[in-house]
């Protein structure tokens, strides 16, 4: 199983920053499913993530776009190190580094850089562990 390296983490950071939101939404929807991807982005309606994926709509606020970008980065870290099933389990599991909250719940309501950074750190640590 590949382990997340500093070089790969930097590449994911860049990718999450420069790729169009529609591509990020497509990846999240295909990897997690429509409902889970929408929840991660803090969207009320699951079909909205599909609209973003088809470029039929764009997020109305910067916070939704930020959640998509941070969520993409986190999911890619986990999928690259493990697989989609493990990524889903990690996102929904309680996490001691996040005050026993599920990472997906922190992302879905996240509004500060500190909140996003905490989830990224937790995902990076989980993805970097060589067992």
């Amino acid at each position: 199983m590949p382990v997340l390296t500093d070089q790969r983490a930097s590449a994911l950071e860049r990718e999450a920053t420069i790729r169009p939101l529609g591509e990020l939404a497509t990846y999240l929807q295909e990897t997690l499913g429509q409902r889970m991807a929408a929840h991660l982005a803090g969207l009320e309606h699951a079909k909205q993530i599909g609209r973003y994926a088809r470029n039929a709509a764009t997020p109305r606020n910067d916070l939704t776009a930020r959640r998509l970008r941070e969520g993409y980065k986190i999911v890619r870290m986990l999928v690259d190190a493990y697989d989609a099933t493990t990524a889903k389990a990690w996102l929904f599991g309680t996490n001691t580094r996040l005050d026993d909250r599920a990472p997906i719940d922190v992302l879905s309501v996240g509004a500060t850089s500190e909140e996003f950074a905490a989830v990224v750190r937790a995902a990076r640590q989980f993805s970097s562990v060589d067992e």
Side-chain angles (χ1 to χ4, degrees):
M1 136 181 27
V3 175
L4 182 69
T5 63
D6 287 341
Q7 183 179 12
R8 182 64 186 136
S10 294
L12 284 174
E13 180 80 33
R14 178 172 164 70
E15 201 174 300
T17 302
I18 64 172
R19 287 183 78 180
L21 284 173
E23 288 181 24
L24 304 182
T26 297
Y27 176 82
L28 291 170
Q29 182 174 277
E30 289 174 353
T31 305
L32 303 176
Q34 189 171 46
R35 293 179 78 177
M36 191 171 176
H39 179 60
L40 179 147
L43 298 171
E44 189 173 329
H45 302 288
K47 289 185 178 185
Q48 191 64 28
I49 199 81
R51 290 182 189 102
Y52 297 161
R54 292 188 312 276
N55 294 309
T58 57
R60 291 186 180 174
N61 65 59
D62 292 339
L63 198 50
T64 301
R66 175 98 188 260
R67 289 175 183 146
L68 287 169
R69 291 192 186 284
E70 298 294 342
Y72 172 84
K73 186 181 347 173
I74 290 162
V75 172
R76 281 296 304 270
M77 282 182 202
L78 298 167
V79 170
D80 289 358
Y82 298 98
D83 55 34
T85 301
T86 302
K88 290 176 188 178
W90 186 87
L91 285 165
F92 274 106
T94 58
N95 192 299
T96 57
R97 289 175 179 79
L98 302 171
D99 296 326
D100 291 324
R101 295 182 297 165
I104 197 164
D105 292 336
V106 176
L107 287 171
S108 71
V109 297
T112 67
S113 292
E114 293 79 20
E115 290 169 307
F116 295 120
V119 183
V120 170
R121 274 193 309 275
R124 188 171 183 167
Q125 184 170 21
F126 183 75
S127 300
S128 299
V129 175
D130 189 16
E131 299 179 4

